[in-house]
Amino acid sequence: MCGIIGILGNAPAAPRLVEALKRLEYRGYDSAGVATLENGAIKRRRAAGKLANLERVLAEEPLAGVTGIGHTRWATHGAPTTGNAHPHATDKVAIVHNGIIENFRALREELKNAGRKFSSETDSEVIAHLITHYLDKGQSPEQAAIAAVRRLEGAFGIAVLFAGEEVVLIGARKGSPLAVGLGDGEMFLGSDAIAVSPFTTRVMFLDEGDIAVLSRTSVKVLDADGKQVERKVHIFAGGVAAVEKGNHRHFMQKEIYEQPETVGRTITRYVNAFEERIEMPDFGGVDLNAESAVIIGCGTAHYAGRVAEYWLEQIAGISVETDIASEFRYRKPAFGKSAFSVFVSQSGETADTLAALRYCKDNGLKTLAVVNVPESTIWREADARLPTLAGPEIGVASTKAFTAQLSALAALAIAVGRARGTLSSDDERRLVRTLMEAPRLIAEALGAEPEIEKIAQELSHARDVLYLGRGVHYPIALEGALKLKEISYIHAEGYAAGELKHGPIALIDEATPVVVVAPHDALFEKTLSNMQEVNARGGKLIVITDAAGAAAVSEIAQHIILAPACDPFVAPLVYSIPIQLLAYFTAVHKGTDVDQPRNLAKSVTVE
Ligand code: M6R
């Protein structure tokens, strides 16, 4: 899930490569590198760590040339060192790679036996040596690239630069996305449209198995069978402008504060406010009046799906199965007679979610994508799409994308309820009115920041934290725990409050704070009993609740985070805010890298 850029240009390549890599850091940021052709010779600069380190190296040792490739890495094989950073090169070829070459050991052995010397611990380096191997046999760059690509097993998006070939750049994809940017007398390769967006708005997405041979003025695309094919050119207007933090200290903070707007924007997309009805886009044959639905995603997107499971069951009476994409894809799940499938993803590029979507398609299910990045792979491959209008999310920890997913899924639940006849028009109007209150309630919830910041200071000293929630707030507890561990590196677990006594209660002691997501709703009394159990064992309770809930827990809670009173339907949207702020300020107190936490990447395009 690394970021790739290739430029066959007319202006100095190195600054442009870095410019593109800045937009790709969300795909990985543990090392970066660029290679250009200087008078026909391959020259490289690489650095471990953030892109800023590579910029420093380039400032000290600039690279000339107008043709080049660049890479930002999320390590799979080999530590995040300079030596393992891409591009990997021989004297004839430099490559950048996104994905995993599964047969790299066998290829490496074969190439070593043929006398080739390897200098990294990566799987990717075999690609450079394999292409060189075929060039040494007298093949042209195109022939050598095709021959090498045919021998690669696994997933890859690659860009290849050839020594002495100022007019050729080759890209290939299988399992990992690759886009071609068509400029004015220039051509570009990118791991997504965002990579090439600083240079052109005309983008062609390669299909599985495609190889693209670029010159400055033409693109030849060969499909998996070696047949020359045409691929559609899209106009991609998104992502041209670099996103700024504004007055905020971190992107995550900015994104948390954008939520009244992003939720409002997403809801408005699906609501006819005048008639108080949900209006959905064309569903491409997805029948909402089905017997059952499956909802798939990873991480935060999966938790959004878990919330939607409660909504769909309660509002639309439809049987719903939710799963993590990486499990679902290998389970060989069976489906009832009529079912539709929903795939939730901010990036639209998550490898496991995409594989799950393809599994459902192969098994005859209609697919519906709840996606934030337009024209991403999941967006394009689904039968129908429900865009989330969160705008670019830069912080690795997902915040505004999550509430935008909840907004779209809430609208979907109402639409399914109508399609299945479980909702009367009056019920629909009431739910729509309630949903439209969410932006205002979120803005109110943001008002708890000063109190949350104080609590976070204390929380930052914890080693373990438990999160509890019931019903629709159980996935919010899971999301709260995920947020905290991602950015503060504090161990946290989310549990269904009722499950506490079946094991996790053994963890309760004075040093383990317990965060409880507990609005004063129909299940509050049940959760209150669980809070009593924690209190009786000396546990420290941080309770996120409304005024009525606060009155009930004032004796036992160490801290109360006040949220606005709201209808249970929109409560998951509203209660997402305090758990995000709590994680954010805890990380700030700990001094971690909030926007780019260690070991993570924004978009996970490998299995
Ligand atoms: O782009 P996606 O929504 O498909 O990404 C799924 C997960 O990787 C993502 O939600 C991840 O869990 C976030 N870092 C959570 O904050």
Side-chain angles (χ1 to χ4, degrees), residues 297-303 344-351 353 370 378 393 395-399 401 405 479 482-483 486 600-604:
C298 298
T300 291
H302 168 63
Y303 296 143
V344 188
S345 176
Q346 188 285 129
S347 61
E349 300 292 352
T350 301
T353 309
V370 178
I378 292 174
E393 190 180 61
V396 163
S398 190
T399 52
Q405 286 159 356
E479 170 64 2
L482 176 64
K483 284 291 87 88
E486 272 192 297
L600 297 177
K602 181 77 184 151
S603 176
V604 184

Side-chain angles (χ1 to χ4, degrees), residues 353-577:
T353 309
L354 178 61
L357 180 145
R358 289 176 179 161
Y359 176 89
C360 286
K361 276 190 130 175
D362 290 348
N363 282 276
L365 255 67
K366 287 288 181 187
T367 55
L368 190 56
V370 178
V371 173
N372 197 44
V373 178
E375 299 301 337
S376 54
T377 312
I378 292 174
W379 170 290
R380 284 182 284 119
E381 291 200 14
D383 294 305
R385 43 209 64 81
L386 286 185
T388 53
L389 306 182
E393 190 180 61
I394 308 298
V396 163
S398 190
T399 52
K400 62 174 181 168
F402 178 62
T403 48
Q405 286 159 356
L406 292 180
S407 305
L409 289 164
L412 177 68
I414 298 174
V416 176
R418 194 172 65 212
R420 290 172 52 81
T422 56
L423 266 191
S424 67
S425 299
D426 281 354
D427 288 340
E428 178 173 0
R429 271 199 288 277
R430 189 191 69 73
L431 287 177
V432 167
R433 269 200 301 275
T434 305
L435 193 55
M436 287 186 334
E437 285 172 13
R440 172 183 60 78
L441 292 163
I442 287 173
E444 258 186 69
L446 287 165
E449 182 195 299
E451 182 60 18
I452 294 176
E453 191 173 357
K454 273 191 247 150
I455 299 170
Q457 185 159 26
E458 222 175 291
L459 200 66
S460 66
H461 301 295
R463 210 189 60 178
D464 308 285
V465 181
L466 296 184
Y467 281 73
L468 303 181
R470 237 174 219 277
V472 80
H473 295 289
Y474 167 37
I476 300 299
L478 292 169
E479 170 64 2
L482 176 64
K483 284 291 87 88
L484 190 74
K485 41 188 162 192
E486 272 192 297
I487 57 170
S488 74
Y489 315 146
I490 295 173
H491 172 244
E493 295 300 333
Y495 288 102
E499 188 65 10
L500 188 69
K501 54 191 168 299
H502 297 289
I505 201 163
L507 298 170
I508 304 293
D509 62 20
E510 292 194 349
T512 309
V514 182
V515 179
V516 191
V517 186
H520 198 268
D521 58 14
L523 297 175
F524 180 79
E525 292 301 327
K526 307 275 176 208
T527 312
L528 183 57
S529 303
N530 305 128
M531 288 191 257
Q532 300 284 12
E533 290 156 13
V534 171
N535 185 51
R537 286 156 183 86
K540 299 278 177 277
L541 289 163
I542 300 170
V543 186
I544 307 175
T545 188
D546 48 27
V553 298
S554 61
E555 304 276 293
I556 55 170
Q558 190 181 33
H559 295 291
I560 295 174
I561 298 173
L562 214 50
C566 57
D567 188 287
F569 179 45
V570 287
L573 281 148
V574 178
Y575 280 72
S576 296
I577 305 304

Side-chain angles (χ1 to χ4, degrees), residues 160-199:
V160 193
L161 183 71
F162 296 87
E165 299 283 350
E166 292 279 0
V167 293
V168 183
L169 198 60
I170 293 187
R173 76 154 281 191
K174 189 182 141 210
S176 301
L178 198 67
V180 178
L182 297 92
D184 194 6
E186 304 186 296
M187 288 288 168
F188 308 90
L189 281 171
S191 41
D192 57 27
I194 294 168
V196 301
S197 67
F199 317 118

